[in-house]
Amino acid sequence: MTGRRTDGEFVELQPVSWDRQRTPDRFSGDGLLGRESDAVANAITAEAEGADIIDIGGQSTRPGHVPVSEDEEYRRVIPVVREIVRHVSIPISIDTSSAKVAEAAIDAGATMINDVRGLMADPELAPVVARAGVPVVVMHDKGADEQGDLITSIVRELSRRLDYAVEAGMNWQI
């Protein structure tokens, strides 16, 4: 796969993460609400092209999205996780803020959680991750603080979330 640097020169790129959302409003236009076999074929291709991890989600987080129920998110992603783990050898990450979806995805073979809400949306998610012992990506989803200092706000919020994760029983590693 090639890409163009800012100076216009083409260079070889190494994909790191293959991110697919099974939502109709995927910001990149590649929502995979179709057949599970399409998602599996895409995952096989991603691995062949050098992806190091596959991240699967069923809940849109783009601005203006309409949240779907936990049951709908489960329906969108769990069968796909089950199928993809049978066909690829790279780790599968589940992009969710739901304890129910995370636990089912881990049971289906996902080996990592990617939570855009940073463990704050579902109080049961942190204990699920801690019990499973899988890595979790904890993100920041807040804006600048009252003084307009975005960096301080990010550091403060991520520190709070890290403390919460450790209190829930997760091991902290960078």
Side-chain angles (χ1 to χ4, degrees):
M1 178 159 79
T2 60
R4 189 185 316 232
R5 293 191 322 208
T6 56
D7 64 6
E9 184 177 330
F10 283 94
V11 294
E12 201 60 32
L13 298 176
Q14 173 64 37
V16 174
S17 173
W18 182 81
D19 179 27
R20 287 298 182 265
Q21 300 296 315
R22 290 185 47 86
T23 63
D25 64 348
R26 173 81 169 136
F27 60 86
S28 62
D30 62 1
L32 296 172
L33 277 177
R35 298 177 308 201
E36 291 165 21
S37 60
D38 293 340
V40 171
N42 283 324
I44 291 168
T45 299
E47 181 178 42
E49 291 179 355
D52 296 312
I53 189 168
I54 296 174
D55 187 52
I56 302 167
Q59 181 75 259
S60 177
T61 55
R62 74 176 179 83
H65 76 282
V66 176
V68 297
S69 71
E70 190 175 56
D71 289 339
E72 175 62 15
E73 182 184 4
Y74 181 102
R75 187 191 68 73
R76 288 177 178 184
V77 298
I78 299 307
V80 173
V81 171
R82 282 190 192 117
E83 281 304 304
I84 288 176
V85 299
R86 295 178 52 231
H87 298 280
V88 301
S89 60
I90 58 178
I92 306 298
S93 169
I94 186 71
D95 184 349
T96 188
S97 297
S98 160
K100 174 185 172 182
V101 173
E103 190 164 41
I106 292 165
D107 290 345
T111 57
M112 184 171 157
I113 305 300
N114 175 18
D115 181 13
V116 71
R117 303 285 181 234
L119 304 172
M120 298 289 110
D122 183 340
E124 296 303 315
L125 182 56
V128 164
V129 174
R131 279 192 306 272
V134 298
V136 61
V137 175
V138 177
M139 296 193 193
H140 175 273
D141 64 347
K142 303 290 183 199
D145 62 15
E146 304 81 40
Q147 289 78 35
D149 184 348
L150 182 60
I151 302 303
T152 300
S153 175
I154 291 171
V155 170
R156 184 180 303 120
E157 191 60 29
L158 286 176
S159 294
R160 185 173 75 85
R161 293 170 189 210
L162 176 59
D163 290 344
Y164 178 70
V166 170
E167 287 172 14
M170 289 180 226
N171 293 320
W172 180 62
Q173 298 179 28
I174 294 181

